[in-house]
Amino acid sequence: MAEVKGKRGDKARETRRRIIDAAAGLFVEQGYGATRLQEIADRADVAVQTIYFVFRNKPSLLKELVDVAIAGDDDPVPTMDRPWFTEVTTAPTAESALAALVTGTRRTLERVAAIDEMVRAAAATNPEIRELWPDETNPRYTVVSTAAKALTAKPGASPAVSAGEAADIIYALLSPELFLVLTRDRAWPPDKWERWAYDILCAQLMVKEQNPAP
């Protein structure tokens, strides 16, 4: 019986992920408002009723899609509890912390940058989308601010740059918007973006004599 339940659970998770992947592709390609749930169902090879059963409605599907894109999986583990972020906070030097931060951010942006752009466009014309992410909190800045506080306290960080200023610089340079400008619009490979972002942030945040490669 346990094996049967396990197989059912695996099938349910696989179906859920197919729906999310289908929605992500169509929302980015066509826009949130222009995409019908029937199109998502067709691409995911499920009945449209299955989408309603699993996600209830289109906004809830979008919210789950964004959460999975940010995390990289559907485990309920916050970004700041994930191994890549722990590597940032526990790194022995500011340089190694920055390298871990840029690498982890790159992997996240490869999944979420285009989705973030789509969500911002959808929120401009869909009030129910704005309600999914209240204006009073900014999860990305919270993550960046925590990383900046850890980084600026480590050996190699410039004493002239406060944690708050470092957070602002990191927040701007590692933004989804700039990532898309360079990797999509200007066709930079993501690894080139990563090297560039690391070098720029090193120049801004580190003691000038210390600038090793990540």
Side-chain angles (χ1 to χ4, degrees):
M1 181 63 71
E3 183 177 353
V4 171
K5 288 182 179 179
K7 289 180 178 179
R8 287 175 180 170
D10 290 344
K11 184 176 181 180
R13 284 190 293 272
E14 195 273 334
T15 298
R16 191 182 194 93
R17 192 57 190 253
R18 283 210 321 273
I19 294 170
I20 288 172
D21 289 346
L26 287 165
F27 286 161
V28 170
E29 292 165 18
Q30 302 178 169
Y32 173 84
T35 300
R36 296 179 295 110
L37 288 181
Q38 185 61 60
E39 293 177 287
I40 297 171
D42 291 343
R43 181 172 288 194
D45 195 24
V46 300
V48 72
Q49 290 85 357
T50 301
I51 297 179
Y52 285 112
F53 177 77
V54 175
F55 296 100
R56 300 192 313 279
N57 54 43
K58 193 175 173 183
S60 294
L61 171 56
L62 177 64
K63 179 64 165 59
E64 179 98 3
L65 183 163
V66 171
D67 290 346
V68 169
I70 292 171
D73 55 50
D74 54 6
D75 294 336
V77 180
T79 296
M80 289 189 288
D81 291 336
R82 288 183 173 266
W84 77 265
F85 194 82
T86 299
E87 186 177 349
V88 175
T89 58
T90 60
T93 66
E95 291 87 350
S96 55
L98 180 61
L101 177 63
V102 175
T103 297
T105 301
R106 168 198 163 176
R107 291 170 181 162
T108 301
L109 290 175
E110 286 182 286
R111 297 188 302 267
V112 83
I115 291 172
D116 178 80
E117 182 181 59
M118 174 272 296
V119 169
R120 285 187 284 108
T125 55
N126 295 271
E128 71 273 15
I129 301 305
R130 293 195 292 272
E131 293 171 3
L132 294 175
W133 292 279
D135 291 339
E136 63 267 19
T137 60
N138 186 326
R140 190 170 78 82
Y141 189 80
T142 298
V143 170
V144 167
S145 179
T146 302
K149 288 177 183 176
L151 189 152
T152 53
K154 295 178 184 296
S158 171
V161 182
S162 68
E165 184 179 357
D168 291 345
I169 293 169
I170 295 168
Y171 185 78
L173 280 172
L174 302 188
S175 68
E177 296 89 344
L178 186 53
F179 181 81
L180 287 177
V181 166
L182 293 175
T183 62
R184 183 188 64 190
D185 300 345
R186 303 310 307 158
W188 281 24
D191 61 340
K192 179 179 179 179
W193 173 90
E194 183 177 342
R195 291 192 301 271
W196 171 83
Y198 176 83
D199 288 343
I200 293 292
L201 287 171
C202 263
Q204 292 290 313
L205 305 178
M206 303 299 151
V207 175
K208 299 307 180 183
E209 295 79 10
Q210 299 180 9
N211 188 12

